[in-house]
Amino acid sequence: MTKQSASRRVVTNMSLSLDGHYAAPDAPEDMGWVMPYAVTDVARDHMTSLREPATTALLGRVNAEGFLSFWPTVIGMEGADPRDEGFAKWLVDTDKVVLSSTLGEAPWARTTIVDKPTAEVVSDLKETEGGDILVLSSASVIKALLAADMVDRLAMTIFPVFLGGGPRLFDDGLPAGQWALVSQAAGEHGTLALVYDRVR
């Protein structure tokens, strides 16, 4: 067995509206529609299960700036849910790779900035030792990996909201293939967490 075939899993996670969008059409930066559902037990347990086997976070620049300005503030925050604090500590302490053509150097600890095609970066990461490579809500990165058929585990939280438009995660023309359902959980407010593994 080659190192590549026994190598690290690429795990992607994204929140989607019931009508299939990951951002609203008029304000893509506004993730307020996610918030009532992101704090449910189902969503928090889903995130915990994804981060625990992961040793690398892969992010696009925009998400990195948002995540890494917010999450460290959760550590030690009064009343913070232990799962949120656990995720925040993991994000701070884990190795992070940020894909960017505009950032010269990383303003965050344990972070490498890479200006290369996504598939090439992930191929390189898969050749290194470590646990899962977790792509956190970075749509452009996930789209590139789906197009290259490099996603091993596809995780989603589906929130019962229609956004009525906006960008979609699954574009036409993706490689045909089958996925096996690994876990499913439904909870408060109709939040649904789904995890699929690519059948190869």
Side-chain angles (χ1 to χ4, degrees), residues 14-174:
M14 181 61 86
S15 299
L16 296 175
S17 66
L18 194 57
D19 58 346
H21 304 282
Y22 62 82
D26 48 349
E29 304 291 313
D30 178 17
M31 296 304 285
W33 64 275
V34 166
M35 291 319 297
Y37 310 101
V39 296
T40 59
D41 285 335
V42 164
R44 283 173 161 148
D45 290 344
H46 172 77
M47 201 63 243
T48 300
S49 71
L50 294 178
R51 74 160 166 84
E52 284 179 339
T55 57
T56 303
L58 180 61
L59 298 146
R61 178 189 59 80
V62 173
N63 255 43
E65 289 174 344
F67 272 56
L68 296 169
S69 63
F70 169 72
W71 280 105
T73 68
V74 174
I75 300 170
M77 182 186 288
E78 187 177 341
D81 186 282
R83 293 163 295 187
D84 292 346
E85 200 164 4
F87 175 76
K89 287 176 179 172
W90 173 83
L91 189 62
V92 168
D93 293 340
T94 203
D95 292 328
K96 294 167 283 291
V97 176
V98 175
L99 297 166
S100 175
S101 59
T102 56
L103 280 178
E105 58 182 52
W108 315 288
R110 300 192 65 142
T111 304
T112 305
I113 306 294
V114 184
D115 181 12
K116 285 186 187 174
T118 303
E120 188 180 325
V121 172
V122 169
S123 290
D124 291 345
L125 283 172
K126 283 175 75 85
E127 290 296 331
T128 63
E129 294 295 319
D132 289 350
I133 301 159
L134 180 56
V135 186
L136 293 163
S137 305
S138 294
S140 61
V141 178
I142 297 173
K143 283 172 172 267
L145 293 172
L146 286 169
D149 198 12
M150 293 181 76
V151 176
D152 302 306
R153 173 161 284 187
L154 179 68
M156 297 174 285
T157 42
I158 311 292
F159 300 143
V161 175
F162 274 20
L163 292 179
R168 293 184 179 276
L169 185 62
F170 304 113
D171 295 325
D172 286 345
L174 290 173

